[in-house]
Amino acid sequence: MAKKGGFGSIVRRVIYECDIVIEVVDARLIDLTRHHELERTVERAEKRLILVINKADLVPKAFLDSQKKLHDNCVFVSCRERHGFSKLREM
């Protein structure tokens, strides 16, 4: 039997208690790995959302440039190549 409120209520509570929400998505499948309901909840809570696009080393630079124009709140990182973390800390 599920607990009253469940996981969704915990996520909403955490969003309302924090200052910044970091959503990590896969550079190869950005739209498929985004959590749009989470993003709407963050927006309703008037919190800052940073979209961290991981595995940036696996897609062409031209693709990353096009995505940067679509998502002004994003940072590209590569855990394998260890790129992008300074930029993330600056945000």
Side-chain angles (χ1 to χ4, degrees):
M1 186 149 93
K3 292 181 182 178
K4 185 176 180 181
F7 183 72
S9 67
I10 294 170
V11 170
R12 283 188 296 280
R13 187 182 79 228
V14 169
I15 289 171
Y16 282 93
E17 291 177 2
C18 72
D19 296 320
I20 299 171
V21 176
I22 298 174
E23 180 180 10
V24 181
V25 299
D26 190 314
R28 300 167 298 175
L29 302 164
I30 293 173
D31 289 329
L32 291 176
T33 55
R34 289 178 71 183
H35 196 294
H36 297 287
E37 183 180 345
L38 172 91
E39 293 173 15
R40 285 190 296 273
T41 303
V42 171
E43 186 176 335
R44 280 193 303 269
E46 298 180 354
K47 302 295 179 163
R48 183 167 179 221
L49 174 71
I50 298 174
L51 189 64
V52 176
I53 301 176
N54 191 26
K55 300 184 182 181
D57 58 310
L58 300 179
V59 296
K61 184 174 180 341
F63 176 75
L64 296 178
D65 291 339
S66 70
Q67 293 301 305
K68 183 66 175 170
K69 292 176 185 172
L70 295 174
H71 311 289
D72 61 345
N73 62 333
C74 72
V75 61
F76 301 102
V77 300
S78 168
C79 291
R80 183 171 58 175
E81 302 293 327
R82 298 182 182 178
H83 293 298
F85 295 100
S86 295
K87 173 76 172 160
L88 178 59
R89 282 192 285 280
E90 291 171 10
M91 293 184 85

